[in-house]
């Protein structure tokens, strides 16, 4: 579920399910997603990811909050609600 807050306090709750197939084994694809430092490798429009956690915590985990930067112009906040590595 994504929660987006706009101007004036408007909040939108969006829930989605994503399924994908490709040439990589599932565990390798997961590692590319779980390691925040790798996001800009598979999504070149992402110029960086900042997190409000102790230094060195660069792996997705429940409760993590941060900001994704797109082209260093657009900054999108995020919160990880749940992680199931299995």
């Amino acid at each position: 579920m994504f929660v987006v807050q706009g101007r004036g306090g408007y909040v939108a709750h969006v829930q989605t399910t994503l399924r994908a197939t490709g040439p990589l084994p599932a565990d390798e694809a997961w590692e590319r997603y779980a390691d925040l430092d790798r996001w800009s490798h598979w999504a070149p429009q992402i110029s960086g990811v900042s997190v409000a956690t102790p230094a060195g915590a660069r792996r997705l985990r429940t409760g993590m909050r941060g900001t994704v930067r797109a082209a260093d112009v657009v900054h999108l906040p995020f919160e990880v609600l749940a992680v199931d590595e299995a």
Side-chain angles (χ1 to χ4, degrees), residues 9-62:
Y10 172 78
V11 176
H13 297 268
V14 179
Q15 186 166 345
T16 187
T17 300
L18 175 66
R19 289 180 175 73
T21 59
L24 293 177
D27 58 341
E28 187 175 339
W30 169 250
E31 285 304 316
R32 289 181 177 187
Y33 187 70
D35 180 352
L36 302 180
D37 292 327
R38 296 177 75 176
W39 284 18
S40 61
H41 297 271
W42 53 262
Q45 70 275 17
I46 295 176
S47 52
V49 181
S50 302
V51 292
T53 58
R58 302 291 299 165
R59 186 170 183 84
L60 280 181
R61 68 173 204 250
T62 301

